[in-house]
Amino acid sequence: MSLFMDVGKSLFFWVFLFSLFRFSFSFTPAENYLLSCGSTINASLLDRVFIGDSSKLASGFLSGDRSVSLTDQNPSPDSPTLYRTARVFTGESRYKFDIKRNGTHLVRFHFSPFSAQNYKLESGKFDVSVNGFLVLSGFSTNAVVIKEYVMNLDLGELNIVFCPVEESGFGFVNAIEVFSAPKDFIIDEGVLLVSAHGNEEYNNLSSQVLETVRRINVGGSKLTPVNDTLWRTWIPDDDFLVLKPAAKRAVSTQVPNYLSGGATREIAPDNVYMTAQQMNRDNMPVNSRFNITWQFPVGSKGARHLVRLHFCDIVSPAIGQLYFDVYINQYSAYRDLDLSSLTFHVLSAPVFIDFVADSDDSGFMGISVGPSSLSSPMKVNAILNGVEIMKMVNPQVSNAVSKKKNVWIVVGSVLGGFIVLCLAAAAAAVLLALRCKKEKRKPGPAESIGWTALRVYGGSSHSRTTEGTVHTSTGPNGYHSLRIPFTDIQSGTNNFDKALIIGMGGFGMVYKGVLRDNTKVAVKRGIPGSRQGLPEFQTEITVLSKIRHRHLVSLVGYCEEQSEMILVYEYMEKGPLKSHLYGSKYPPLSWKQRLEICIGAARGLHYLHTGSAQGIIHRDIKSTNILLDENYGAKVADFGLSRSGPRLDETHVSTGVKGSFGYLDPEYFRRQQLTDKSDVYSFAVVLLEVLCARPAVDPLLAREQVNLAEWAMQWQKKGMLEKIIDPHLVGQINPSSLKKFGETAEKCLADYGVDRPSMGDVLWNLEYTLQLQESGQQESHLDNDTNGTEHATPGITPSTSHRIGNLARSDSSDMTSSQVFSQLMTNEGR
Ligand SMILES: *[C@@H]1O[C@H](CO)[C@@H](O)[C@H](O)[C@H]1NC(C)=O
Ligand SMILES: *[C@@H]1O[C@H](CO)[C@@H](O)[C@H](O)[C@H]1NC(C)=O
């Protein structure tokens, strides 16, 4: 069973779907409570209806009986109906909401003071608690204020308690909103804590109660609830700019490309991403480098905040020119930010990045953007499109709330904190186990997507993805297009004969088959209820029909009939590389064979990265995704049908770590920055697997050996990599070849992507490694200093081979390639 294409997991191919699908819907919250307080009738605000909290419909929400309804008798003509009534609390009062959908919610309070009867609402002073979190303490206002909180709510009750303080004797509220946030509104991955001590990952953002403090449309105009998908207000940034002449507005007319970015229209509306501030070099001396800085008053000193920055490159004429640094309170928050790497190299694609930082001692949050050291002098620029600053509300109870409750809330939060700590401590240990487990996990019911999705986009879905590229030509299988009739596949696989199953995975079964023209194929057939859906299917077809290369497994065709989703690939006789390295009965491969396989795979990857206009990142390079044909020719496999490809409903491409444990680029893990250098990292792990004949992660080994990359690098740094190579290779590898190989892997495993070589460089280095091996064999034959089991090429004079040997032994990386190759050529010429 090992001769098979392992389709099982992960066919991660990040490609883009461009903006094929444009969303033009308004957001409908899954849970939506809107209350007009102190009113018996409903009030509308924009397209939303607020139910009167004294109406029959609203009974059950209000459980305090120490409140009165108040109506403004002399409202100003422009005041909305919603603000003409208020509920006044003369004692502790409570609103209760049934939470039937857990997850992130937005909670808003509207305060619009007026005077009626004996109440002058602006003199009210009160506390407000939400599920035990004191969100407003001693609050009072003489102007219209909307307070907004973002928090995760569990199933059950949401309790909002109003409590008058001191002698004011009352509190009030005009309206309350409680509604579910869009999916992934707050996510825990990819959040950076920025401080004097450098950056680290911040965990558990979603468990925080966040209070919106600032919401800024940088470079743009004021946006009111009517302009915003979530009825938010965004204000311009001008008043917060420290040096106005440093900034210049940028305005785009192009609708943001949400599909390629990490943000959605609910994260921020079009208008936020269509305007920005950029460096105003007109006002500055030529070639000067400077920051644009904003200082936002946040009202509390040294308090922890979420700072969400919105970016959309609407200023670059071409991709790959904009590199800039981001600072929060003068601490480096993000170095060399390359938006294109977060957006699949598409301009005008919105991205947001979450930071956690403390406000400074004067109660300000300073944000700067400025050119990075990577920007070329002529293209120096930096941008910012939007800012949201949200304060983390500390668990704290209202003094006014009854004692007994206090105790429980305190105990609850202390316990909660403790549990969080324990979880954090355990996380590292558990991570590994979890990851390994995850690999083997079968799709759970919650993940299942039925095939019904297949027709969602109607008949045009295919013309959209494959039109013009494949339909007009005769495919390699002799069919007029890549479409293969279902009946042909049926007969070619003996009606999906179980005996022909050669693999199994999240997508479904893989069968060995034969087409009408006797081509041997591997047939991947999706199963109903599989977690793999239409977009991945389309992605695979789109990518593979456009890209063909000797070292990439090619798509022979596909079938989309009768709710079937079937992909047909060329058959790879010898199966995955992994099974020829360890854990099977195959004879061990020679060093030369291994190098040739690595070179082939590197060529395929190099082509992926550079062969198409946009470049494609594989994202799941590992030894099971490199397949061998009957001649041990290597091809990179597994495209598009990934369980987490850029699905239409999954937009956080810039966040969320994907890939296989052990192969995962640590920088990608840390910074959520996806580049082709992540593939380079994973490829290096494959190189080490090839050399050491052991898995990337082996939890059964001693702790320092578990992770192959770490372990091998320890030996590499000691210059003793030969100690851990596959025993079958001992005595076979020329030391200079091994040295070069080790150096190549080491460079590819550099912490930062920028320090890693490109796939092109890797390819060159591997070819060189092979050259060194071949010339070294000649040397070993003549010098007889290794137990040469291979035959040397006859007819070289000792003097030449000695020269080559010495050259190869010296630090080859210090030498220009032409020097070495001219030596090799001299050799061959004789
Ligand atoms: C916001 O919406 C109003 C009303 O539809 C419209 O007049 C205004 O131009 C919009 N503002 C922006 C910046 O789009
Ligand atoms: C931008 O601001 C940061 C933090 O204050 C500073 O370290 C950096 O040198 C500034 N860059 C430029 C080009 O002025």
Side-chain angles (χ1 to χ4, degrees):
M1 287 295 282
S2 34
L3 264 184
F4 313 132
M5 299 178 59
D6 174 9
V7 275
K9 322 134 201 180
S10 60
L11 323 119
F12 290 111
F13 236 51
W14 282 91
V15 276
F16 6 2
L17 299 175
F18 309 101
S19 47
L20 293 177
F21 316 101
R22 171 134 308 152
F23 299 94
S24 52
F25 56 84
S26 59
F27 174 68
T28 312
E31 190 153 53
N32 197 16
Y33 292 111
L34 305 174
L35 289 187
S36 171
C37 303
S39 174
T40 52
I41 55 164
N42 296 348
S44 295
L45 194 65
L46 303 177
D47 52 340
R48 311 164 86 200
V49 178
F50 287 69
I51 295 169
D53 74 347
S54 321
S55 73
K56 281 227 172 67
L57 275 173
S59 66
F61 285 122
L62 191 62
S63 68
D65 51 356
R66 299 169 68 186
S67 73
V68 292
S69 299
L70 205 64
T71 303
D72 191 352
Q73 303 302 335
N74 304 301
S76 76
D78 56 350
S79 119
T81 343
L82 191 63
Y83 293 167
R84 295 179 183 189
T85 63
R87 178 155 302 278
V88 173
F89 311 101
T90 52
E92 182 184 316
S93 305
R94 177 184 306 256
Y95 282 99
K96 252 185 353 200
F97 299 88
D98 261 352
I99 301 302
K100 300 195 188 83
R101 309 288 183 107
N102 58 353
T104 306
H105 282 65
L106 279 85
V107 176
R108 287 191 190 129
F109 303 109
H110 297 246
F111 303 104
S112 176
F114 56 82
S115 298
Q117 298 172 26
N118 294 325
Y119 293 103
K120 205 172 170 227
L121 294 185
E122 62 180 58
S123 54
K125 194 169 181 189
F126 51 101
D127 289 355
V128 182
S129 307
V130 177
N131 271 2
F133 274 81
L134 181 64
V135 293
L136 287 174
S137 174
F139 176 80
S140 70
T141 179
N142 55 12
V144 177
V145 171
I146 300 173
K147 286 281 180 187
E148 178 187 273
Y149 304 90
V150 178
M151 64 187 80
N152 188 53
L153 295 179
D154 291 330
L155 296 181
E157 262 178 23
L158 167 68
N159 281 286
I160 297 176
V161 178
F162 289 81
C163 217
V165 293
E166 295 167 19
E167 263 55 69
S168 90
F170 71 91
F172 77 98
V173 66
N174 304 76
I176 301 177
E177 305 175 28
V178 176
F179 64 95
S180 328
K183 190 171 166 281
D184 295 338
F185 194 65
I186 300 287
I187 37 173
D188 289 322
E189 283 139 16
V191 185
L192 288 173
L193 174 64
V194 179
S195 72
H197 319 294
N199 293 356
E200 56 189 284
E201 222 174 312
Y202 183 87
N203 296 308
N204 271 314
L205 177 64
S206 64
S207 65
Q208 296 291 334
V209 172
L210 302 169
E211 175 188 344
T212 307
V213 180
R214 296 278 167 197
R215 189 166 267 146
I216 312 289
N217 179 16
V218 178
S221 52
K222 180 173 178 178
L223 301 176
T224 60
V226 67
N227 309 102
D228 183 84
T229 42
L230 298 180
W231 310 279
R232 292 165 292 204
T233 298
W234 304 71
I235 63 170
D237 64 307
D238 310 62
D239 293 343
F240 309 104
L241 269 172
V242 172
L243 189 63
K244 281 197 178 135
K248 182 167 76 175
R249 278 175 185 234
V251 179
S252 166
T253 49
Q254 197 191 337
V255 176
N257 186 344
Y258 287 98
L259 217 54
S260 295
T264 63
R265 188 163 272 147
E266 283 74 48
I267 293 293
D270 292 358
N271 280 310
V272 169
Y273 293 117
M274 288 165 71
T275 60
Q277 295 281 15
Q278 60 175 322
M279 286 175 66
N280 188 356
R281 280 177 293 160
D282 311 345
N283 284 351
M284 295 289 171
V286 180
N287 284 340
S288 61
R289 301 169 83 89
F290 55 90
N291 291 323
I292 312 174
T293 299
W294 294 262
Q295 286 283 359
F296 298 101
V298 294
S300 33
K301 299 172 185 175
R304 190 142 282 195
H305 290 76
L306 166 66
V307 178
R308 174 169 285 186
L309 302 184
H310 299 268
F311 299 101
C312 184
D313 186 353
I314 55 170
V315 302
S316 296
I319 208 76
Q321 301 189 342
L322 182 64
Y323 293 90
F324 57 99
D325 291 340
V326 180
Y327 304 91
I328 297 181
N329 285 337
Q330 311 206 353
Y331 301 128
S332 172
Y334 208 127
R335 262 183 51 205
D336 309 326
L337 176 55
D338 170 13
L339 294 176
S340 73
S341 72
L342 304 177
T343 62
F344 302 113
H345 304 280
V346 167
L347 291 174
S348 294
V351 169
F352 69 95
I353 306 179
D354 285 346
F355 300 95
V356 171
D358 296 335
S359 52
D360 69 12
D361 295 340
S362 344
F364 281 90
M365 191 67 82
I367 293 171
S368 308
V369 294
S372 113
S373 53
L374 295 184
S375 17
S376 65
M378 302 314 296
K379 296 180 177 136
V380 161
N381 206 352
I383 61 163
L384 183 64
N385 301 65
V387 180
E388 286 174 278
I389 301 178
M390 297 181 169
K391 185 181 158 192
M392 294 185 176
V393 180
N394 290 322
Q396 189 191 347
V397 287
S398 164
N399 293 331
V401 179
S402 74
K403 263 266 160 59
K404 193 174 154 205
K405 231 167 275 149
N406 283 357
V407 172
W408 281 112
I409 291 158
V410 170
V411 168
S413 53
V414 167
L415 263 180
F418 180 68
I419 289 165
V420 166
L421 272 180
C422 291
L423 283 179
V430 168
L431 182 67
L432 188 134
L434 266 181
R435 288 284 182 155
C436 297
K437 209 168 156 190
K438 208 167 163 188
E439 292 274 285
K440 297 191 187 93
R441 200 170 54 126
K442 291 270 172 338
E447 291 167 311
S448 304
I449 314 168
W451 285 118
T452 44
L454 192 58
R455 299 289 170 185
V456 166
Y457 303 106
S460 64
S461 65
H462 270 91
S463 38
R464 228 178 328 199
T465 50
T466 57
E467 191 176 48
T469 58
V470 293
H471 279 181
T472 49
S473 61
T474 304
N477 54 341
Y479 297 109
H480 187 60
S481 76
L482 286 183
R483 277 180 198 265
I484 301 177
F486 183 63
T487 50
D488 280 21
I489 297 176
Q490 248 179 332
S491 57
T493 56
N494 208 2
N495 199 15
F496 301 103
D497 189 344
K498 281 205 179 71
L500 293 175
I501 292 178
I502 55 172
M504 190 175 81
F507 178 69
M509 295 294 177
V510 186
Y511 301 82
K512 186 177 173 177
V514 184
L515 291 183
R516 278 198 309 212
D517 62 354
N518 285 327
T519 327
K520 276 197 221 166
V521 290
V523 175
K524 266 190 213 175
R525 184 195 195 193
I527 43 167
S530 158
R531 55 196 162 137
Q532 306 295 344
L534 176 72
E536 291 85 357
F537 180 74
Q538 290 178 327
T539 300
E540 180 103 352
I541 295 169
T542 314
V543 175
L544 280 179
S545 61
K546 282 194 192 132
I547 291 180
R548 286 189 182 275
H549 188 269
R550 205 152 43 94
H551 293 288
L552 299 178
V553 170
S554 58
L555 183 71
V556 173
Y558 67 93
C559 170
E560 190 208 1
E561 281 174 38
Q562 307 164 16
S563 299
E564 291 280 353
M565 285 202 276
I566 299 174
L567 294 165
V568 180
Y569 301 89
E570 64 178 312
Y571 183 70
M572 296 293 285
E573 194 74 44
K574 298 242 187 291
L577 167 61
K578 181 179 184 161
S579 49
H580 294 269
L581 296 175
Y582 48 89
S584 74
K585 290 189 291 282
Y586 295 111
L589 301 168
S590 72
W591 180 235
K592 187 176 171 210
Q593 271 178 315
R594 295 186 202 201
L595 283 180
E596 280 166 349
I597 289 167
C598 293
I599 288 170
R603 264 187 223 291
L605 258 183
H606 176 54
Y607 179 77
L608 267 187
H609 288 176
T610 57
S612 61
Q614 302 87 11
I616 293 169
I617 302 167
H618 188 290
R619 273 181 56 115
D620 201 22
I621 290 297
K622 54 182 174 180
S623 55
T624 46
N625 284 344
I626 296 170
L627 304 182
L628 304 178
D629 65 16
E630 64 279 17
N631 302 317
Y632 293 98
K635 301 193 185 203
V636 177
D638 280 356
F639 307 69
L641 276 175
S642 89
R643 60 194 157 198
S644 34
R647 285 210 303 252
L648 296 178
D649 58 343
E650 251 187 27
T651 45
H652 285 289
V653 293
S654 61
T655 53
V657 176
K658 307 284 177 350
S660 299
F661 194 53
Y663 295 90
L664 203 61
D665 168 10
E667 182 179 44
Y668 174 35
F669 195 79
R670 274 198 310 271
R671 298 173 64 176
Q672 313 292 316
Q673 193 175 13
L674 179 67
T675 71
D676 48 10
K677 297 297 180 66
S678 306
D679 282 352
V680 172
Y681 184 95
S682 310
F683 187 73
V685 179
V686 173
L687 293 181
L688 295 172
E689 251 181 300
V690 164
L691 180 69
C692 306
R694 54 149 286 186
V697 168
D698 188 344
L700 300 178
L701 292 173
R703 208 161 57 90
E704 71 277 11
Q705 301 184 23
V706 168
N707 184 301
L708 173 59
E710 281 172 20
W711 191 51
M713 283 309 107
Q714 279 170 23
W715 289 96
Q716 166 68 16
K717 295 208 167 87
K718 284 189 271 186
M720 291 157 74
L721 194 56
E722 72 275 6
K723 300 279 188 217
I724 59 160
I725 65 173
D726 182 358
H728 293 112
L729 292 176
V730 170
Q732 222 191 97
I733 312 182
N734 179 279
S736 58
S737 175
L738 177 60
K739 182 159 188 256
K740 188 78 202 157
F741 191 84
E743 284 167 3
T744 306
E746 185 177 6
K747 281 186 202 134
C748 296
L749 294 172
D751 279 347
Y752 294 95
V754 290
D755 300 330
R756 295 176 204 147
S758 69
M759 249 357 262
D761 292 337
V762 176
L763 175 58
W764 190 91
N765 276 285
L766 290 173
E767 280 173 336
Y768 185 28
T769 306
L770 181 61
Q771 298 268 13
L772 290 170
Q773 174 67 15
E774 308 220 287
S775 59
Q777 274 164 24
Q778 295 151 8
E779 176 205 35
S780 71
H781 174 75
L782 293 155
D783 288 351
N784 213 11
D785 62 358
T786 56
N787 47 347
T789 49
E790 318 238 341
H791 297 291
T793 321
I796 335 167
T797 67
S799 63
T800 319
S801 66
H802 262 291
R803 242 174 36 226
I804 296 164
N806 292 338
L807 276 172
R809 258 197 237 119
S810 72
D811 188 357
S812 41
S813 55
D814 291 338
M815 194 181 309
T816 68
S817 57
S818 56
Q819 269 177 302
V820 174
F821 279 127
S822 63
Q823 293 291 339
L824 294 169
M825 260 137 74
T826 313
N827 171 22
E828 260 164 29
R830 295 207 174 213

